[in-house]
Amino acid sequence: MDQDIPPVAAPQRPPVRVGVAGLGRAALFSHIPAFRAAPDLFRVVAICDLMRERRDIVEKDLPDVRTYRRIEDMLDDPEIDLVDVALPTADHVSCALSALRRGKWTVVESPLATSHDDAKKLQAASVKARGKLFAYTPGLFAPDFRLAQSVLDDPRLGEVYEVRVRRQDFVRRDDWQSVKRCLGGCTWYKGQDALLQAVALMRSQPAQLWSELKRVASLGDAEDFAHVVLKSRGEVTADIEINGGQLPPFEPSFTVRGSRGTFTVAPGAATGTLHVVDPDFRFSRRRSSVRTPPLDDMHETVPVVDAAVTLTTDAQTGEAAFWRALYATIRTATPFPVQLDDVVETVRYLQLVRQSSPFAK
């Protein structure tokens, strides 16, 4: 992902007309509220769900919305510009393919797919549809992630050698996302953004991968703990933990370790902290020796300083920034900051994570 997200000017074109496929938590608590908060950019004109009571929830607030029970019927609606695929994971690929065949702009909730082959099929369909497919990746617009990106070249940090990504919570999840046969598990519903963030901070594609999956607090049989370590061909290692069985206090969402100190930022924060060797301090010059060492403590007295790092006030961050960037792409052909190629490759990593774990079988 490009580090700088260009600001979106006041829209001079009509709002993007959205059809929402699937009215679960993602749509009702995240996507639709985001659309309603930006009426100059998006307008929900159609919704689709098998459950009438879910459709009634949206229709109560949006009385003019067209309601559908069958996905294919909604996809045939000529008044829809963008299809928002917020269906259960197992239906992501089929719905997205159907929308792309109709020439609709299409955004798919995480994960884009659950196999690399399916992700490649979607990529090919997007090429035929002139690049109209997008993965829902709000994590790449999050303020804490943007801060972590901003310090990678900070000389106060020194040479970066490790990044840590943490997604921690404690929830005894009991819905379909906790059931293996429904393609549940934290690898799928949280892993895509976490791995995209890690690879972006590594600044190179991983050459090695290690992982383990566990069930800690979830009431289903799918994993709610995933630990993934990525190693690049350079010197940077990424350590990723997604944990649904972690009690507070939580670790920093991002930690960047360098040769002169560490940067940390709390989940969702717009300000982080550099804990580094004083930039004005210079280590004395000395060389290692193979001689028998003296019986002295080898530690040095090193002056350490803490410095706050804050995003600029005009930084485009958060979920709203994702949707504004998507609007700019649809209405003004502005290049989207997240490359579909990167998401497809991330699906490959996630598939490897699951294939290498006996727990996921």
Side-chain angles (χ1 to χ4, degrees):
M1 174 185 172
D2 299 335
Q3 182 170 340
D4 295 325
I5 300 174
V8 180
Q12 301 297 319
R13 303 191 181 193
V16 172
R17 299 169 298 180
V18 183
V20 181
L23 300 177
R25 289 185 178 91
L28 295 179
F29 300 151
S30 177
H31 297 214
I32 292 177
F35 297 140
R36 295 186 66 196
D40 54 335
L41 305 182
F42 296 95
R43 183 163 62 91
V44 178
V45 298
I47 55 173
C48 180
D49 197 277
L50 289 173
M51 299 177 64
R52 179 54 193 257
E53 53 266 37
R54 295 289 178 91
R55 302 196 300 268
D56 289 345
I57 291 173
V58 180
E59 196 172 14
K60 180 179 178 181
D61 293 325
L62 301 172
D64 294 331
V65 72
R66 293 185 292 281
T67 64
Y68 296 92
R69 187 176 182 277
R70 295 179 65 253
I71 291 294
E72 297 300 319
D73 291 339
M74 190 188 79
L75 296 180
D76 286 333
D77 187 331
E79 300 300 314
I80 293 175
D81 303 313
L82 171 68
V83 176
D84 180 18
V85 182
L87 294 163
T89 298
D91 298 320
H92 285 187
V93 173
S94 60
C95 182
L97 286 174
S98 295
L100 291 168
R101 291 190 191 106
R102 290 165 168 80
K104 307 283 191 184
W105 295 92
T106 306
V107 61
V108 183
E109 245 290 354
S110 180
L112 178 69
T114 56
S115 76
H116 190 230
D117 286 346
D118 280 347
K120 295 289 285 184
K121 289 179 184 176
L122 286 173
Q123 188 177 34
S126 181
V127 171
K128 291 182 179 179
R130 299 184 179 181
K132 291 186 175 180
L133 175 66
F134 303 88
Y136 181 63
T137 52
L140 296 185
F141 297 78
D144 48 354
F145 169 70
R146 297 295 311 286
L147 272 174
Q149 275 191 309
S150 73
V151 302
L152 293 176
D153 294 318
D154 195 315
R156 294 173 293 178
L157 196 57
E159 186 176 348
V160 173
Y161 64 87
E162 184 189 53
V163 298
R164 294 190 173 197
V165 180
R166 294 292 184 265
R167 295 290 174 270
Q168 297 173 333
D169 196 2
F170 186 87
V171 54
R172 299 174 68 241
R173 192 157 192 164
D174 63 356
D175 64 347
W176 67 266
Q177 287 279 26
S178 67
V179 179
K180 289 181 181 179
R181 64 182 175 85
C182 298
L183 298 180
C186 66
T187 307
W188 294 131
Y189 63 77
K190 286 192 176 180
Q192 181 173 284
D193 262 15
L195 263 71
L196 281 166
Q197 291 169 334
V199 172
L201 295 175
M202 292 171 71
R203 290 180 162 175
S204 62
Q205 292 297 320
Q208 296 177 322
L209 180 153
W210 171 92
S211 64
E212 64 174 345
L213 305 179
K214 300 177 182 179
R215 187 187 67 81
V216 181
S218 170
L219 300 184
D221 61 350
E223 81 282 353
D224 61 352
F225 173 92
H227 187 193
V228 182
V229 178
L230 305 174
K231 178 67 174 66
S232 70
R233 296 189 185 278
E235 297 299 323
V236 181
T237 301
D239 186 302
I240 306 148
E241 180 187 293
I242 303 168
N243 193 344
Q246 172 70 43
L247 291 172
F250 302 129
E251 296 178 51
S253 55
F254 295 97
T255 300
V256 181
R257 291 177 167 177
S259 57
R260 291 183 66 89
T262 302
F263 169 80
T264 56
V265 59
T271 298
T273 301
L274 278 170
H275 182 72
V276 296
V277 175
D278 189 330
D280 295 329
F281 175 76
R282 297 292 179 268
F283 288 99
S284 61
R285 297 185 63 183
R286 70 185 195 198
R287 302 171 66 180
S288 60
S289 173
V290 296
R291 297 178 181 176
T292 301
L295 300 177
D296 297 331
D297 187 349
M298 298 184 68
H299 290 88
E300 302 172 84
T301 300
V302 179
V304 176
V305 298
D306 288 344
V309 180
T310 303
L311 288 174
T312 59
T313 56
D314 61 345
Q316 300 283 319
T317 64
E319 182 184 4
F322 170 87
W323 293 114
R324 293 186 72 86
L326 185 58
Y327 172 87
T329 299
I330 294 173
R331 286 296 187 234
T332 67
T334 302
F336 195 68
V338 182
Q339 300 299 311
L340 184 60
D341 288 350
D342 293 337
V343 181
V344 171
E345 189 69 358
T346 298
V347 172
R348 183 171 74 89
Y349 301 147
L350 294 174
Q351 186 175 8
L352 288 172
V353 165
R354 297 188 66 82
Q355 287 177 343
S356 64
S357 173
F359 182 87
K361 300 295 187 293

